Amino acid sequence: MQDINYSGNHLDDKEFRIKVSTGGDINNATGNAIVGEMFLETGASPAFYIAAGTSTMEDSFIYKIADITEI
Amino acid sequence: MSEINHSSQRYQNKPFAIKVRTGEDITKATNDAICGEVYLETGIAPSLYIGNKTSSEAETSIHRIADLTQKVGDVNLAHIGNVGDPSTSTSGKLYTETDPTLVTDKGFVFSFWFYDNGEPAAPGGQIFKSNHQNNYILQSTSASGSTGSLRFASWATLTEYDPDKVSVSGTSYTVKYQTKRLNNITHVTEESADGRGAQVSSYLNGELIGHAQTRFFIYPADILLGVGNASNISIGDVGFWKDDDTSGFIRSIERQVPAIYNNGQMSDWMQLAQAPWHYWKFGEFVGQDVPDEGTASTNHMILTGQAKQRTYSLDGADGTNYTFSGDAAGTDPTLNAVVTDTLTFTNNTGGHPLAISKTVNSKDMIFSGNPGSGITTDYIIKGGDITVSAWLKPQASTNSADTDTFHIFSDYTSGGNEGRLAFGGKLGKGWYATVNGPTQKQIWSYGSESTGTETIPIANMLDGNWHNLIVTVNGTIAKFFLDGSLAWEVDTVHGIAAGTLPVKIGKSWGDMYLFNGEINSISIWETNQDVGDNILDNIYRQGIPNDFAGTTYPDASFGVTKELDVINFIDPVLNAYDKSGVNIKYSTINQGDNEQILIEESSGTLVFNPNYGEHNYFCKAHPTTMRGVINVLPLMSSQKITGIVRT
């Protein structure tokens, strides 16, 4: 996915981000998601996600907030 | 909660903020919330909130935007039960859904995940069914239990298939799969090239396993899910796509089908050219909850359960009776007694695994190889999957009878089909086993016949040490393990049928194939235990019970070290055995990035919870049997646990 915005800082020596990534496949974001990062999945079935935890080697914590429907 | 970014200004002397905070307790943000602030609640039940009013002493207004329950990569399972008579009962029904336009005459695609725990299933369970002419797309097939297969019925004859995975019978074919793991089936239909029928392509775990060419058209029809009969299987993430135009949609999907499997993790549907027309995502703990009918409070996330134990008795010919029993928690039965006479082995209660631990003059079972030696049990092979483990120490002998084949575990009898499983060896030749009787399928003979694999001479086992043999039958696939390593694997074609005669230890029926040597710890599971990376290896490394002299434990240098991958339910149970025969000395479970959990000098039953979330770990040790067992069970499929245990 492509980063389209970024703002981050460290708290207690941990990295936090407000960042929005876009792309057609949310699975491409599972390897390096940072807590707080948001993901806009584009394509035929767009959806909005957020990482509730920072990805590890074994797991990622990306959750769907909502499917996006056209107004 | 902690602030992780901040941008604010004042308007009409009121503060407004665009700010994100994270933390595990949203209530900690209520006192100082600012209008516009966004809150990400982390932890086991993450949610996203926003404040639409700045807090005052009297009032706070924080609203939940969404529960974050649909995690990318999750496969959520719901269970179709196995209760009631499938011919009359619908109690195993999970869910019924119809959509009159789901199947079109152009074709469709459906993909789903399933988990078969290997327990017996009712026959004919209709998992997916078209209501047009009752075409069963998938159904459970075995009359005697789950055989690790799903039938794709009424799709006519295959034009090509992989014989290792697919068997053909009439107008249907059966796909074999591995039990006790997540599998993905993806089924693609499309109008045939000549326009005179339909063809179907089926994928198991991303691999193309067969094409079928039908003689009839695909008719518009409903798809019924979990209808009528029970099937005893967990399914999830069922997605349907229909071909509602001719723009190459089906072919586009077919090319991407292997990506759906994505190495064991579900890829997102949206990577396909078109979103699914119909999508059922079952969640037992998150999202939509679809319980079994009639058991609304029951969650059926599959975990590998602890097998129950049998109770046994040894009846000496001198009239002395010795009993020994395990318990429902899994403690092995043990018997420490000095007996000097011929023994008959009986079991009193149902359950498994069956474990025989018997001492003769404070040692193991000793067989002379002469007529009359050997043991008669009352265990009759149930049929279906089975695992048998035996420790033995064969001995060379000048007795001419020892040049003949001997049986370690056998219900074989001459002149008929009674034998279902027998294995042993022949001095100077190699190991020997039959499955389902000699007249149906003799799968190994001295490690060479039928399979063409190398012969492993039995002389290798005459080194004075104990050696372990494990035989597993999974569906039609039988394997033979020597000291923890796979020696032979063969397709028995017929599988294993229910036996009619009790099993003999150290000989066969008719007082034939007498074994000369020592045997200890024969264990039987009425399931296939070849289900994970190290299940059988652990069985081997458990060693033989140390309640008799001469025990040779595996080298402690490797101990029991294992990494669990319970997200796929492959190894939710870990057994650790102490070399010194006392207790677990030191065990560490490292749960992801969580703090480590230490268990020291465990004894009795110990239940502990880590300081993270609500994960439930269960640890127990059995000092009486000098054995420790650690079970690490996930509550949700989304939980991932890695564990390292050393003894």
Side-chain angles (χ1 to χ4, degrees):
Chain A
M1 303 185 100
Q2 302 295 319
D3 293 345
I4 59 172
N5 205 338
Y6 177 84
S7 175
N9 63 2
H10 280 72
L11 176 68
D12 294 337
D13 206 27
K14 292 182 180 178
E15 184 181 13
F16 294 89
R17 292 180 187 173
I18 295 176
K19 184 171 74 172
V20 176
S21 301
T22 65
D25 185 358
I26 187 64
N27 287 279
N28 291 338
T30 54
N32 57 356
I34 302 295
V35 61
E37 192 169 3
M38 299 176 186
F39 307 90
L40 172 64
E41 186 171 63
T42 57
S45 298
F48 197 44
Y49 299 84
I50 190 168
T54 299
S55 294
T56 65
M57 291 288 289
E58 295 81 20
D59 204 356
S60 60
F61 308 91
I62 299 176
Y63 292 85
K64 179 181 287 187
I65 299 173
D67 291 318
I68 297 175
T69 56
E70 191 171 353
I71 296 176
Chain B
M1 304 183 91
S2 301
E3 294 183 10
I4 61 172
N5 210 329
H6 179 83
S7 175
S8 67
Q9 64 182 143
R10 300 184 76 84
Y11 177 67
Q12 293 180 345
N13 205 30
K14 293 182 180 178
F16 292 86
I18 297 177
K19 183 167 65 175
V20 174
R21 294 198 230 178
T22 65
E24 294 191 10
D25 186 358
I26 187 63
T27 62
K28 293 181 178 178
T30 54
N31 293 334
D32 58 351
I34 303 296
C35 181
E37 198 168 9
V38 177
Y39 309 91
L40 171 63
E41 188 175 54
T42 57
I44 196 168
S47 297
L48 193 64
Y49 300 84
I50 191 168
N52 71 338
K53 186 180 294 183
T54 298
S55 294
S56 64
E57 289 188 1
E59 188 178 11
T60 298
S61 183
I62 296 177
H63 294 268
R64 191 194 307 265
I65 299 174
D67 290 322
L68 304 177
T69 56
Q70 189 173 339
K71 185 180 177 184
V72 172
D74 265 0
V75 175
N76 298 302
L77 299 176
H79 194 74
I80 302 176
N82 183 28
V83 288
D85 179 356
S87 65
T88 59
S89 171
T90 60
S91 56
K93 180 173 64 176
L94 169 70
Y95 195 58
T96 300
E97 181 79 6
T98 62
D99 185 335
T101 63
L102 193 58
V103 179
T104 74
D105 56 359
K106 299 296 184 184
F108 67 96
V109 173
F110 73 87
S111 174
F112 69 100
W113 293 77
F114 65 98
Y115 183 100
D116 185 343
N117 66 357
E119 296 297 327
Q126 299 153 24
I127 300 170
F128 295 101
K129 173 184 173 184
S130 164
N131 67 351
H132 176 75
Q133 297 180 348
N134 285 327
N135 291 330
Y136 302 144
I137 300 172
L138 298 173
Q139 62 177 336
S140 60
T141 58
S142 172
S144 60
S146 173
T147 59
S149 65
L150 289 177
R151 174 169 294 178
F152 294 71
S154 299
W155 289 111
T157 304
L158 287 170
T159 55
E160 59 180 279
Y161 62 95
D162 181 350
D164 291 335
K165 298 184 177 61
V166 180
S167 60
V168 181
S169 175
T171 59
S172 66
Y173 61 100
T174 299
V175 178
K176 288 177 281 186
Y177 60 85
Q178 189 174 352
T179 58
K180 297 185 178 180
R181 58 156 289 172
L182 279 173
N183 291 284
N184 175 265
I185 289 283
T186 300
H187 214 46
V188 178
T189 73
E190 59 183 326
E191 189 174 16
S192 63
D194 60 6
R196 299 184 59 188
Q199 61 190 37
V200 58
S201 302
S202 297
Y203 299 80
L204 175 64
N205 297 334
E207 181 183 357
L208 180 65
I209 53 176
H211 292 292
Q213 182 76 41
T214 69
R215 293 285 185 183
F216 51 86
F217 293 97
I218 301 172
Y219 288 92
D222 301 342
I223 290 293
L224 310 178
L225 172 61
V227 176
N229 295 344
S231 57
N232 196 25
I233 196 169
S234 295
I235 61 174
D237 287 323
V238 182
F240 284 85
W241 297 259
K242 72 170 184 176
D243 185 17
D244 52 3
D245 59 46
T246 57
S247 61
F249 163 66
I250 288 295
R251 294 182 189 285
S252 175
I253 284 184
E254 185 173 11
R255 284 195 298 271
Q256 298 182 65
V257 160
I260 291 177
Y261 178 65
N262 193 22
N263 195 29
Q265 296 295 314
M266 186 190 75
S267 296
D268 196 87
W269 303 116
M270 272 63 77
Q271 73 176 324
L272 298 176
Q274 184 171 331
W277 175 259
H278 209 89
Y279 180 38
W280 297 318
K281 184 180 179 67
F282 303 114
E284 294 281 347
F285 296 95
V286 295
Q288 182 185 10
D289 189 12
V290 185
D292 278 5
E293 190 174 80
T295 55
S297 63
T298 302
N299 288 316
H300 287 281
M301 190 65 69
I302 299 299
L303 303 173
T304 299
Q306 178 67 54
K308 294 181 179 179
Q309 299 283 325
R310 291 175 185 263
T311 300
Y312 311 95
S313 66
L314 296 173
D315 300 318
D318 59 356
T320 304
N321 175 263
Y322 305 90
T323 62
F324 59 114
S325 61
D327 58 33
T331 305
D332 274 345
T334 60
L335 170 66
N336 291 292
V338 177
V339 293
T340 57
D341 210 337
T342 301
L343 296 172
T344 300
F345 177 84
T346 63
N347 72 286
N348 299 326
T349 58
H352 57 271
L354 165 65
I356 304 171
S357 176
K358 169 182 168 181
T359 60
V360 177
N361 292 327
S362 299
K363 290 187 178 181
D364 49 284
M365 294 183 285
I366 299 175
F367 299 88
S368 66
N370 296 317
S373 69
I375 292 176
T376 300
T377 78
D378 72 344
Y379 177 73
I380 298 177
I381 292 172
K382 176 185 175 183
D385 292 354
I386 190 171
T387 299
V388 181
S389 169
W391 285 88
L392 62 148
K393 186 162 62 174
Q395 295 178 6
S397 173
T398 57
N399 188 332
S400 60
D402 290 335
T403 61
D404 293 328
T405 301
F406 61 82
H407 285 185
I408 302 297
F409 177 98
S410 175
D411 67 342
Y412 170 81
T413 185
S414 61
N417 300 329
E418 300 293 348
R420 296 305 182 225
L421 177 62
F423 62 86
K426 184 174 183 177
L427 291 175
K429 290 286 188 178
W431 296 100
Y432 162 92
T434 68
V435 171
N436 223 13
T439 61
Q440 292 192 42
K441 186 67 176 179
Q442 183 169 328
I443 59 171
W444 308 300
S445 179
Y446 319 123
S448 58
E449 186 177 278
S450 300
T451 67
T453 58
E454 74 279 11
T455 297
I456 301 178
I458 200 168
N460 290 352
M461 308 294 280
L462 298 176
D463 56 6
N465 293 321
W466 286 93
H467 295 279
N468 176 252
L469 301 180
I470 298 175
V471 175
T472 67
V473 178
N474 179 20
T476 64
I477 304 299
K479 298 180 180 179
F480 198 104
F481 296 82
L482 297 175
D483 290 337
S485 299
L486 178 65
W488 303 306
E489 175 179 349
V490 67
D491 190 342
T492 67
V493 180
H494 300 288
I496 185 168
T500 58
L501 293 176
V503 166
K504 301 273 190 179
I505 304 296
K507 63 180 177 182
S508 72
W509 281 84
D511 213 23
M512 300 185 299
Y513 306 136
L514 298 160
F515 172 65
N516 181 25
E518 299 172 66
I519 300 177
N520 196 290
S521 283
I522 294 179
S523 299
I524 304 169
W525 291 260
E526 290 171 339
T527 55
N528 169 48
Q529 293 291 306
D530 180 29
V531 293
D533 292 340
N534 290 311
I535 294 292
L536 290 177
D537 196 41
N538 275 347
I539 293 174
Y540 162 59
R541 290 182 180 184
Q542 289 169 13
I544 45 184
N546 57 354
D547 56 358
F548 69 99
T551 299
T552 301
Y553 280 92
D555 185 355
S557 61
F558 52 68
V560 179
T561 301
K562 182 155 182 59
E563 182 171 299
L564 301 177
D565 184 13
V566 294
I567 195 170
N568 292 320
F569 305 103
I570 295 174
D571 279 315
V573 176
L574 177 64
N575 297 326
Y577 293 83
D578 178 35
K579 174 180 179 295
S580 63
V582 184
N583 288 318
I584 294 178
K585 293 290 188 184
Y586 179 88
S587 299
T588 299
I589 299 174
N590 186 348
Q591 191 244 328
D593 57 358
N594 189 22
E595 295 181 4
Q596 290 186 338
I597 303 159
L598 304 181
I599 312 167
E600 297 185 29
E601 297 292 345
S602 300
S603 62
T605 298
L606 172 64
V607 180
F608 62 95
N609 294 296
N611 56 354
Y612 178 79
E614 297 177 358
H615 303 186
N616 185 15
Y617 296 97
F618 181 51
C619 174
K620 58 185 178 180
H622 303 289
T624 56
T625 57
M626 303 168 190
R627 164 184 170 184
V629 179
I630 293 177
N631 296 333
V632 182
L633 307 178
L635 291 177
M636 297 192 302
S637 65
S638 60
Q639 290 180 340
K640 186 174 182 63
I641 302 170
T642 58
I644 297 176
V645 173
R646 293 185 184 280
T647 62

